[in-house]
Amino acid sequence: MCRRKNVLQSCQIKEALVSQMRQEFIDLRGPVPGDLSQTSEDQSLSDFEISTRTLINVWIPSVFLWGKAANAFHVYQVYIRIKDDEWNVYRRYTEFWSLHHKLQNKYPQVRGYNFPPKKAIGNRDAKFVEERRKQLQNYLHCIMNKVIQVAPEFAASPKKETLVQLIPFFVSQNVPEPNRSVAVASVGN
């Protein structure tokens, strides 16, 4: 009886470890294709929207410090995959913040989305940067769910061109320069 109990406990520990590793993999690389359980925490999505969501994945696999000394800032690598089309965009926190405020004006529901607040002191701490990366990634997931809900043409036939017309934030561009003003994303009408 003891042996069976030990085997069961060992299996439970291994299952928990596999689950934890899977979540870490998803946090770093995005949803595993075909896994509907990882597509959204939004219970308001229809089955069609959930199945469409598996064709569209957005995540932030990395963040890095760019620039020198006092002028250095963090840049977030945003990786977008729509079907077989994949690309990266690089954005500063201020660009996410600008996107959030523009979307709030167009879609009042966005005000309820969890968006990480500004922080002037301690914003280079590794734990803070990693937590903000995760929060911004979750925020982008909510935004993509909203796009799927309000843009039937995009949901019916998801394409990079349509996404960047709807949300220019996703247009590819070079890493922002430290002393250059950053182009602000605007939401298409």
Side-chain angles (χ1 to χ4, degrees), residues 3-36:
R3 182 161 161 52
R4 184 178 289 174
K5 186 176 180 181
N6 288 340
V7 169
L8 180 61
Q9 286 177 337
S10 177
C11 286
Q12 290 172 337
I13 290 170
K14 288 178 183 177
E15 283 179 18
L17 183 59
V18 167
S19 178
Q20 177 185 356
M21 292 172 72
R22 180 180 179 79
Q23 188 58 49
E24 288 175 9
F25 176 75
I26 289 166
D27 287 344
L28 291 173
R29 187 71 177 119
V32 177
D35 185 356
L36 294 179

mmCIF file of all heavy atoms in Angstrom, residues 3-36:
data_model
loop_
_atom_site.group_PDB
_atom_site.id
_atom_site.type_symbol
_atom_site.label_atom_id
_atom_site.label_comp_id
_atom_site.label_asym_id
_atom_site.label_seq_id
_atom_site.Cartn_x
_atom_site.Cartn_y
_atom_site.Cartn_z
ATOM 1 N N ARG A 3 3.860 1.622 -1.204
ATOM 2 C CA ARG A 3 4.494 1.767 -2.516
ATOM 3 C C ARG A 3 3.533 2.427 -3.504
ATOM 4 O O ARG A 3 3.924 3.324 -4.245
ATOM 5 C CB ARG A 3 4.942 0.395 -3.027
ATOM 6 C CG ARG A 3 5.651 0.456 -4.359
ATOM 7 C CD ARG A 3 6.460 -0.810 -4.566
ATOM 8 N NE ARG A 3 6.855 -1.138 -5.883
ATOM 9 C CZ ARG A 3 7.482 -0.386 -6.760
ATOM 10 N NH1 ARG A 3 7.774 0.837 -6.455
ATOM 11 N NH2 ARG A 3 7.831 -0.822 -7.942
ATOM 12 N N ARG A 4 2.291 2.013 -3.503
ATOM 13 C CA ARG A 4 1.288 2.581 -4.404
ATOM 14 C C ARG A 4 1.078 4.072 -4.096
ATOM 15 O O ARG A 4 0.965 4.896 -4.990
ATOM 16 C CB ARG A 4 -0.025 1.828 -4.270
ATOM 17 C CG ARG A 4 -1.068 2.318 -5.259
ATOM 18 C CD ARG A 4 -2.349 1.569 -5.170
ATOM 19 N NE ARG A 4 -2.154 0.212 -5.697
ATOM 20 C CZ ARG A 4 -3.065 -0.728 -5.660
ATOM 21 N NH1 ARG A 4 -4.233 -0.498 -5.086
ATOM 22 N NH2 ARG A 4 -2.833 -1.917 -6.151
ATOM 23 N N LYS A 5 1.043 4.427 -2.811
ATOM 24 C CA LYS A 5 0.872 5.816 -2.401
ATOM 25 C C LYS A 5 2.060 6.650 -2.858
ATOM 26 O O LYS A 5 1.888 7.772 -3.347
ATOM 27 C CB LYS A 5 0.716 5.895 -0.877
ATOM 28 C CG LYS A 5 0.385 7.265 -0.375
ATOM 29 C CD LYS A 5 0.155 7.258 1.114
ATOM 30 C CE LYS A 5 -0.167 8.635 1.612
ATOM 31 N NZ LYS A 5 -0.364 8.671 3.044
ATOM 32 N N ASN A 6 3.285 6.119 -2.715
ATOM 33 C CA ASN A 6 4.491 6.825 -3.154
ATOM 34 C C ASN A 6 4.497 7.031 -4.664
ATOM 35 O O ASN A 6 4.900 8.087 -5.154
ATOM 36 C CB ASN A 6 5.756 6.083 -2.715
ATOM 37 C CG ASN A 6 5.996 6.193 -1.225
ATOM 38 O OD1 ASN A 6 5.464 7.083 -0.565
ATOM 39 N ND2 ASN A 6 6.793 5.269 -0.695
ATOM 40 N N VAL A 7 4.068 6.031 -5.407
ATOM 41 C CA VAL A 7 4.011 6.138 -6.867
ATOM 42 C C VAL A 7 2.995 7.217 -7.262
ATOM 43 O O VAL A 7 3.258 8.037 -8.137
ATOM 44 C CB VAL A 7 3.666 4.774 -7.518
ATOM 45 C CG1 VAL A 7 3.357 4.933 -8.984
ATOM 46 C CG2 VAL A 7 4.798 3.784 -7.309
ATOM 47 N N LEU A 8 1.847 7.234 -6.584
ATOM 48 C CA LEU A 8 0.816 8.226 -6.863
ATOM 49 C C LEU A 8 1.333 9.634 -6.565
ATOM 50 O O LEU A 8 1.157 10.550 -7.374
ATOM 51 C CB LEU A 8 -0.440 7.935 -6.047
ATOM 52 C CG LEU A 8 -1.609 8.885 -6.244
ATOM 53 C CD1 LEU A 8 -2.090 8.858 -7.693
ATOM 54 C CD2 LEU A 8 -2.745 8.521 -5.311
ATOM 55 N N GLN A 9 1.993 9.827 -5.441
ATOM 56 C CA GLN A 9 2.553 11.129 -5.090
ATOM 57 C C GLN A 9 3.617 11.549 -6.098
ATOM 58 O O GLN A 9 3.668 12.705 -6.503
ATOM 59 C CB GLN A 9 3.154 11.100 -3.677
ATOM 60 C CG GLN A 9 2.117 11.098 -2.586
ATOM 61 C CD GLN A 9 2.758 10.989 -1.203
ATOM 62 O OE1 GLN A 9 3.876 10.505 -1.049
ATOM 63 N NE2 GLN A 9 2.012 11.433 -0.192
ATOM 64 N N SER A 10 4.438 10.618 -6.508
ATOM 65 C CA SER A 10 5.473 10.904 -7.493
ATOM 66 C C SER A 10 4.856 11.349 -8.821
ATOM 67 O O SER A 10 5.320 12.305 -9.448
ATOM 68 C CB SER A 10 6.353 9.672 -7.701
ATOM 69 O OG SER A 10 7.308 9.903 -8.695
ATOM 70 N N CYS A 11 3.805 10.675 -9.237
ATOM 71 C CA CYS A 11 3.111 11.046 -10.478
ATOM 72 C C CYS A 11 2.488 12.436 -10.365
ATOM 73 O O CYS A 11 2.559 13.229 -11.312
ATOM 74 C CB CYS A 11 2.043 10.020 -10.825
ATOM 75 S SG CYS A 11 2.711 8.487 -11.466
ATOM 76 N N GLN A 12 1.892 12.736 -9.213
ATOM 77 C CA GLN A 12 1.283 14.042 -9.018
ATOM 78 C C GLN A 12 2.335 15.153 -9.058
ATOM 79 O O GLN A 12 2.117 16.209 -9.639
ATOM 80 C CB GLN A 12 0.508 14.083 -7.707
ATOM 81 C CG GLN A 12 -0.752 13.247 -7.737
ATOM 82 C CD GLN A 12 -1.411 13.132 -6.361
ATOM 83 O OE1 GLN A 12 -0.777 13.291 -5.320
ATOM 84 N NE2 GLN A 12 -2.712 12.822 -6.371
ATOM 85 N N ILE A 13 3.472 14.909 -8.456
ATOM 86 C CA ILE A 13 4.569 15.884 -8.462
ATOM 87 C C ILE A 13 5.060 16.100 -9.892
ATOM 88 O O ILE A 13 5.265 17.237 -10.327
ATOM 89 C CB ILE A 13 5.714 15.431 -7.532
ATOM 90 C CG1 ILE A 13 5.261 15.523 -6.068
ATOM 91 C CG2 ILE A 13 6.971 16.262 -7.769
ATOM 92 C CD1 ILE A 13 6.216 14.869 -5.082
ATOM 93 N N LYS A 14 5.212 15.020 -10.636
ATOM 94 C CA LYS A 14 5.677 15.130 -12.030
ATOM 95 C C LYS A 14 4.647 15.845 -12.893
ATOM 96 O O LYS A 14 5.007 16.662 -13.744
ATOM 97 C CB LYS A 14 6.008 13.752 -12.591
ATOM 98 C CG LYS A 14 7.278 13.178 -12.006
ATOM 99 C CD LYS A 14 7.569 11.794 -12.524
ATOM 100 C CE LYS A 14 8.826 11.244 -11.843
ATOM 101 N NZ LYS A 14 9.130 9.888 -12.245
ATOM 102 N N GLU A 15 3.358 15.570 -12.696
ATOM 103 C CA GLU A 15 2.320 16.261 -13.450
ATOM 104 C C GLU A 15 2.338 17.760 -13.151
ATOM 105 O O GLU A 15 2.185 18.582 -14.057
ATOM 106 C CB GLU A 15 0.942 15.675 -13.131
ATOM 107 C CG GLU A 15 0.676 14.352 -13.805
ATOM 108 C CD GLU A 15 -0.700 13.785 -13.447
ATOM 109 O OE1 GLU A 15 -1.563 14.541 -12.963
ATOM 110 O OE2 GLU A 15 -0.885 12.580 -13.664
ATOM 111 N N ALA A 16 2.524 18.124 -11.895
ATOM 112 C CA ALA A 16 2.586 19.541 -11.516
ATOM 113 C C ALA A 16 3.795 20.210 -12.156
ATOM 114 O O ALA A 16 3.709 21.342 -12.647
ATOM 115 C CB ALA A 16 2.634 19.678 -9.994
ATOM 116 N N LEU A 17 4.919 19.509 -12.193
ATOM 117 C CA LEU A 17 6.129 20.049 -12.808
ATOM 118 C C LEU A 17 5.938 20.237 -14.321
ATOM 119 O O LEU A 17 6.304 21.277 -14.876
ATOM 120 C CB LEU A 17 7.322 19.129 -12.534
ATOM 121 C CG LEU A 17 8.673 19.594 -13.066
ATOM 122 C CD1 LEU A 17 9.054 20.950 -12.477
ATOM 123 C CD2 LEU A 17 9.739 18.563 -12.726
ATOM 124 N N VAL A 18 5.343 19.253 -14.964
ATOM 125 C CA VAL A 18 5.070 19.365 -16.406
ATOM 126 C C VAL A 18 4.132 20.541 -16.668
ATOM 127 O O VAL A 18 4.343 21.321 -17.601
ATOM 128 C CB VAL A 18 4.494 18.044 -16.973
ATOM 129 C CG1 VAL A 18 3.924 18.245 -18.362
ATOM 130 C CG2 VAL A 18 5.558 16.959 -16.977
ATOM 131 N N SER A 19 3.112 20.689 -15.855
ATOM 132 C CA SER A 19 2.167 21.792 -16.013
ATOM 133 C C SER A 19 2.873 23.136 -15.836
ATOM 134 O O SER A 19 2.649 24.072 -16.606
ATOM 135 C CB SER A 19 1.037 21.644 -15.002
ATOM 136 O OG SER A 19 0.148 22.713 -15.102
ATOM 137 N N GLN A 20 3.728 23.229 -14.835
ATOM 138 C CA GLN A 20 4.475 24.457 -14.590
ATOM 139 C C GLN A 20 5.412 24.762 -15.758
ATOM 140 O O GLN A 20 5.492 25.900 -16.227
ATOM 141 C CB GLN A 20 5.273 24.342 -13.291
ATOM 142 C CG GLN A 20 6.127 25.557 -12.993
ATOM 143 C CD GLN A 20 6.995 25.384 -11.769
ATOM 144 O OE1 GLN A 20 6.925 24.368 -11.077
ATOM 145 N NE2 GLN A 20 7.832 26.354 -11.502
ATOM 146 N N MET A 21 6.099 23.743 -16.261
ATOM 147 C CA MET A 21 7.018 23.942 -17.384
ATOM 148 C C MET A 21 6.258 24.344 -18.643
ATOM 149 O O MET A 21 6.709 25.191 -19.414
ATOM 150 C CB MET A 21 7.849 22.681 -17.620
ATOM 151 C CG MET A 21 8.842 22.409 -16.489
ATOM 152 S SD MET A 21 9.670 20.825 -16.639
ATOM 153 C CE MET A 21 10.753 21.169 -18.015
ATOM 154 N N ARG A 22 5.098 23.753 -18.857
ATOM 155 C CA ARG A 22 4.268 24.106 -20.014
ATOM 156 C C ARG A 22 3.850 25.572 -19.937
ATOM 157 O O ARG A 22 3.912 26.300 -20.920
ATOM 158 C CB ARG A 22 3.043 23.202 -20.074
ATOM 159 C CG ARG A 22 2.117 23.495 -21.233
ATOM 160 C CD ARG A 22 0.915 22.543 -21.208
ATOM 161 N NE ARG A 22 0.013 22.806 -22.270
ATOM 162 C CZ ARG A 22 0.167 22.425 -23.536
ATOM 163 N NH1 ARG A 22 1.227 21.731 -23.878
ATOM 164 N NH2 ARG A 22 -0.716 22.729 -24.449
ATOM 165 N N GLN A 23 3.440 26.021 -18.745
ATOM 166 C CA GLN A 23 3.043 27.413 -18.592
ATOM 167 C C GLN A 23 4.226 28.349 -18.821
ATOM 168 O O GLN A 23 4.083 29.397 -19.453
ATOM 169 C CB GLN A 23 2.423 27.660 -17.217
ATOM 170 C CG GLN A 23 1.825 29.049 -17.086
ATOM 171 C CD GLN A 23 0.765 29.338 -18.129
ATOM 172 O OE1 GLN A 23 -0.147 28.551 -18.348
ATOM 173 N NE2 GLN A 23 0.886 30.461 -18.807
ATOM 174 N N GLU A 24 5.394 27.982 -18.337
ATOM 175 C CA GLU A 24 6.590 28.795 -18.572
ATOM 176 C C GLU A 24 6.914 28.865 -20.062
ATOM 177 O O GLU A 24 7.281 29.918 -20.586
ATOM 178 C CB GLU A 24 7.782 28.246 -17.788
ATOM 179 C CG GLU A 24 7.689 28.486 -16.303
ATOM 180 C CD GLU A 24 8.812 27.840 -15.510
ATOM 181 O OE1 GLU A 24 9.776 27.330 -16.118
ATOM 182 O OE2 GLU A 24 8.723 27.841 -14.274
ATOM 183 N N PHE A 25 6.760 27.743 -20.765
ATOM 184 C CA PHE A 25 6.985 27.702 -22.203
ATOM 185 C C PHE A 25 5.993 28.628 -22.915
ATOM 186 O O PHE A 25 6.368 29.409 -23.792
ATOM 187 C CB PHE A 25 6.843 26.270 -22.722
ATOM 188 C CG PHE A 25 6.965 26.146 -24.215
ATOM 189 C CD1 PHE A 25 8.207 26.243 -24.826
ATOM 190 C CD2 PHE A 25 5.846 25.941 -24.998
ATOM 191 C CE1 PHE A 25 8.334 26.144 -26.198
ATOM 192 C CE2 PHE A 25 5.954 25.836 -26.370
ATOM 193 C CZ PHE A 25 7.205 25.943 -26.981
ATOM 194 N N ILE A 26 4.740 28.581 -22.525
ATOM 195 C CA ILE A 26 3.713 29.431 -23.132
ATOM 196 C C ILE A 26 4.006 30.898 -22.841
ATOM 197 O O ILE A 26 3.888 31.748 -23.724
ATOM 198 C CB ILE A 26 2.307 29.021 -22.653
ATOM 199 C CG1 ILE A 26 1.944 27.670 -23.282
ATOM 200 C CG2 ILE A 26 1.265 30.083 -22.995
ATOM 201 C CD1 ILE A 26 0.747 27.000 -22.657
ATOM 202 N N ASP A 27 4.437 31.197 -21.616
ATOM 203 C CA ASP A 27 4.788 32.579 -21.275
ATOM 204 C C ASP A 27 5.920 33.104 -22.149
ATOM 205 O O ASP A 27 5.948 34.267 -22.517
ATOM 206 C CB ASP A 27 5.194 32.693 -19.803
ATOM 207 C CG ASP A 27 4.016 32.571 -18.851
ATOM 208 O OD1 ASP A 27 2.853 32.695 -19.304
ATOM 209 O OD2 ASP A 27 4.257 32.339 -17.652
ATOM 210 N N LEU A 28 6.864 32.239 -22.479
ATOM 211 C CA LEU A 28 8.010 32.662 -23.282
ATOM 212 C C LEU A 28 7.760 32.606 -24.778
ATOM 213 O O LEU A 28 8.251 33.441 -25.529
ATOM 214 C CB LEU A 28 9.231 31.793 -22.953
ATOM 215 C CG LEU A 28 9.836 31.991 -21.579
ATOM 216 C CD1 LEU A 28 10.911 30.959 -21.321
ATOM 217 C CD2 LEU A 28 10.410 33.395 -21.468
ATOM 218 N N ARG A 29 7.015 31.608 -25.244
ATOM 219 C CA ARG A 29 6.918 31.359 -26.684
ATOM 220 C C ARG A 29 5.505 31.488 -27.241
ATOM 221 O O ARG A 29 5.311 31.455 -28.432
ATOM 222 C CB ARG A 29 7.465 29.952 -26.964
ATOM 223 C CG ARG A 29 7.596 29.595 -28.386
ATOM 224 C CD ARG A 29 8.718 30.351 -29.058
ATOM 225 N NE ARG A 29 8.825 29.886 -30.415
ATOM 226 C CZ ARG A 29 8.670 30.636 -31.485
ATOM 227 N NH1 ARG A 29 8.457 31.910 -31.359
ATOM 228 N NH2 ARG A 29 8.760 30.137 -32.686
ATOM 229 N N GLY A 30 4.529 31.648 -26.385
ATOM 230 C CA GLY A 30 3.167 31.770 -26.869
ATOM 231 C C GLY A 30 2.436 30.446 -26.811
ATOM 232 O O GLY A 30 3.009 29.415 -26.471
ATOM 233 N N PRO A 31 1.165 30.469 -27.158
ATOM 234 C CA PRO A 31 0.342 29.261 -27.085
ATOM 235 C C PRO A 31 0.859 28.159 -28.003
ATOM 236 O O PRO A 31 1.399 28.422 -29.064
ATOM 237 C CB PRO A 31 -1.034 29.735 -27.557
ATOM 238 C CG PRO A 31 -1.005 31.208 -27.449
ATOM 239 C CD PRO A 31 0.415 31.629 -27.599
ATOM 240 N N VAL A 32 0.679 26.949 -27.563
ATOM 241 C CA VAL A 32 1.038 25.791 -28.372
ATOM 242 C C VAL A 32 -0.043 25.647 -29.444
ATOM 243 O O VAL A 32 -1.230 25.623 -29.118
ATOM 244 C CB VAL A 32 1.114 24.524 -27.495
ATOM 245 C CG1 VAL A 32 1.416 23.302 -28.335
ATOM 246 C CG2 VAL A 32 2.147 24.710 -26.398
ATOM 247 N N PRO A 33 0.346 25.608 -30.741
ATOM 248 C CA PRO A 33 -0.671 25.518 -31.796
ATOM 249 C C PRO A 33 -1.630 24.355 -31.562
ATOM 250 O O PRO A 33 -1.226 23.265 -31.186
ATOM 251 C CB PRO A 33 0.152 25.296 -33.064
ATOM 252 C CG PRO A 33 1.490 25.888 -32.741
ATOM 253 C CD PRO A 33 1.691 25.614 -31.266
ATOM 254 N N GLY A 34 -2.909 24.636 -31.765
ATOM 255 C CA GLY A 34 -3.929 23.605 -31.633
ATOM 256 C C GLY A 34 -4.433 23.379 -30.227
ATOM 257 O O GLY A 34 -5.342 22.595 -30.015
ATOM 258 N N ASP A 35 -3.862 24.060 -29.238
ATOM 259 C CA ASP A 35 -4.285 23.885 -27.859
ATOM 260 C C ASP A 35 -5.297 24.961 -27.503
ATOM 261 O O ASP A 35 -4.948 26.077 -27.169
ATOM 262 C CB ASP A 35 -3.077 23.964 -26.924
ATOM 263 C CG ASP A 35 -3.436 23.676 -25.475
ATOM 264 O OD1 ASP A 35 -4.637 23.486 -25.175
ATOM 265 O OD2 ASP A 35 -2.524 23.635 -24.637
ATOM 266 N N LEU A 36 -6.583 24.635 -27.600
ATOM 267 C CA LEU A 36 -7.632 25.610 -27.349
ATOM 268 C C LEU A 36 -7.690 26.057 -25.901
ATOM 269 O O LEU A 36 -8.203 27.121 -25.603
ATOM 270 C CB LEU A 36 -8.993 25.050 -27.772
ATOM 271 C CG LEU A 36 -9.170 24.800 -29.263
ATOM 272 C CD1 LEU A 36 -10.560 24.213 -29.516
ATOM 273 C CD2 LEU A 36 -8.989 26.060 -30.066
#
